[in-house]
Amino acid sequence: DDITVQETGGPSALAVWLTVACGILVLVLLLLLSPVLADRRREKHLQGDRVPAVCKQYSLRVFRLLGRPYQPGTAPLQYARLVDGAFPDLEKDGPSFTQIMQDILQAEYADVPLGKEQQKELAQFPQRLQRLCRSQVSGLKWFYFRFIRHI
């Protein structure tokens, strides 16, 4: 009639290692998925009336990370020319940042709406910035930009 209860002393080492491995796997998957989700969210916002604002915000963020932050008191077109001088490769596959900034300013301040070609160029500009960023940085810095800062 005596029932013997045996104490096990806690979870086995295998259970602990499996838990840790599953946690690491989940973190890696989240880390790899986060830039994809950020790209999709940005693409969703790069439609309609928000294209210039999203393009401007993303551009300023990328150039800040690349060491060319916007300085208060600098005129937008003056800043764009400085960026064009610092990153001449940006003009190889599309309009210069100065032209992009002119389109953004036209959309923000003029009563004239942007044409379809201008909207298309603005919508493609973040992809061009990603390529520029990839060409400017490598290794751990690129990993930081892409997976932590979602560039």
Side-chain angles (χ1 to χ4, degrees):
D1 277 356
D2 287 338
I3 299 175
T4 308
V5 177
Q6 182 179 4
E7 289 188 35
T8 60
S12 69
L14 179 62
V16 171
W17 282 108
L18 283 174
T19 303
V20 169
C22 286
I24 290 172
L25 180 64
V26 167
L27 285 175
V28 167
L29 288 174
L30 287 174
L31 188 66
L32 294 175
L33 251 166
S34 63
V36 173
L37 296 175
D39 288 348
R40 286 189 179 173
R41 186 173 49 247
R42 187 172 30 260
E43 286 173 12
K44 184 178 101 177
H45 291 300
L46 284 171
Q47 298 170 2
D49 296 340
R50 298 200 51 186
V51 172
V54 171
C55 187
K56 180 180 179 182
Q57 176 188 20
Y58 185 71
S59 301
L60 295 177
R61 186 169 162 225
V62 169
F63 292 132
R64 184 183 70 239
L65 287 172
L66 289 175
R68 297 287 178 190
Y70 179 78
Q71 300 297 323
T74 305
L77 291 177
Q78 180 185 8
Y79 173 68
R81 284 189 286 276
L82 290 172
V83 167
D84 282 339
F87 304 108
D89 292 345
L90 189 58
E91 294 182 55
K92 287 182 180 176
D93 59 349
S96 67
F97 184 56
T98 302
Q99 182 59 49
I100 295 292
M101 185 60 80
Q102 286 175 343
D103 292 345
I104 290 170
L105 292 173
Q106 177 185 340
E108 286 181 346
Y109 299 110
D111 290 335
V112 180
L114 293 176
K116 289 196 181 283
E117 187 63 31
Q118 290 171 309
Q119 285 188 356
K120 181 181 173 187
E121 289 171 355
L122 285 177
Q124 292 173 349
F125 194 64
Q127 293 171 349
R128 291 177 50 211
L129 286 178
Q130 277 186 355
R131 288 192 298 272
L132 171 73
C133 195
R134 184 68 178 119
S135 72
Q136 296 290 318
V137 297
S138 61
L140 288 176
K141 195 170 184 180
W142 170 248
F143 180 85
Y144 171 74
F145 280 10
R146 185 70 181 131
F147 294 98
I148 307 299
R149 297 305 301 251
H150 305 292
I151 296 299

